[in-house]
Amino acid sequence: MFLADTSAEFHDFFERHYAELARFANLLTGEPDAADDLAADAMIALWQRWDRLRKADHPLAYARGVVANMARERIRAAMRERRRVSLFWFRGPGSVEGPDTAAVLDVRTALARLPFRKRACVVLRHAFDLSEKETAAALGISVGTVKSQTSRGMAELQGILGARAVGDLVTGRRKQ
């Protein structure tokens, strides 16, 4: 009976939060396919600890933290791989490309340019409408760090996208 109840609770948690966690992973990594994998891997990790996690005050905050950590590791691994490939294929100064001169940058491209912690704070605060306290819990950082990283991240986005575009992002965000 206990196993059936536990399984049903986890199934309910999965149904309610999987899509949100996948969307969060997508905004952090910019890779839709990887986002589904990260959300699934996070759910596996949560299931393995569900007996303890189900009694926690905020299991969703813990789940967001798991996704954030997995996304961070994926990004770091990709950066290490790119460095290895570039060192292998580097042919000298003639192979250096010029700067990106695209006139319009979409939000995902702009988010991808932010350092991970700023990106995570901006995404959780503005795309998911979490409070500063909820964001801090999800990322395992202080509320003050959330405030400063969100402010700096939004300032960087403003520099990339322009003040009007960032204002539209904040005022047009989804209300829950």
Side-chain angles (χ1 to χ4, degrees):
M1 181 70 178
F2 176 75
L3 185 58
D5 290 345
T6 302
S7 182
E9 283 179 5
F10 182 78
H11 184 268
D12 181 54
F13 181 86
F14 180 94
E15 290 294 323
R16 285 184 292 133
H17 301 295
Y18 177 81
E20 175 187 338
L21 294 173
R23 196 169 84 240
F24 177 46
N26 185 21
L27 289 169
L28 292 178
T29 64
E31 302 174 27
D33 294 333
D36 280 337
D37 292 343
L38 286 171
D41 290 345
M43 285 295 187
I44 290 168
L46 295 171
W47 172 245
Q48 292 170 342
R49 295 176 192 84
W50 191 249
D51 59 329
R52 290 184 313 245
L53 184 59
R54 66 193 280 250
K55 298 171 189 164
D57 291 336
H58 304 287
L60 182 57
Y62 182 83
R64 288 181 183 127
V66 169
V67 170
N69 288 334
M70 288 180 163
R72 179 184 302 116
E73 182 51 40
R74 180 173 178 82
I75 290 166
R76 286 179 178 162
M79 289 173 62
R80 285 190 301 267
E81 182 64 20
R82 277 188 224 121
R83 279 190 210 114
R84 283 193 292 268
V85 168
S86 68
L87 287 173
F88 180 76
W89 289 105
F90 183 70
R91 304 236 189 260
S95 66
V96 176
E97 295 180 20
D100 181 16
T101 57
V104 178
L105 296 173
D106 67 2
V107 173
R108 289 181 188 215
T109 302
L111 281 171
R113 293 176 62 184
L114 294 178
F116 181 83
R117 185 176 283 176
K118 287 179 189 171
R119 183 179 341 139
C121 287
V122 167
V123 166
L124 287 172
R125 292 282 294 127
H126 295 290
F128 287 89
D129 279 334
L130 294 187
S131 69
E132 291 163 342
K133 186 177 179 181
E134 291 168 328
T135 301
L139 298 176
I141 58 179
S142 71
V143 172
T145 301
V146 169
K147 289 178 182 181
S148 66
Q149 293 295 292
T150 303
S151 175
R152 290 175 186 156
M154 292 302 288
E156 287 183 37
L157 285 176
Q158 184 174 342
I160 295 167
L161 297 170
R164 183 175 179 180
V166 171
D168 291 344
L169 287 174
V170 173
T171 58
R173 71 181 183 216
R174 181 176 52 88
K175 298 291 181 201
Q176 294 184 4

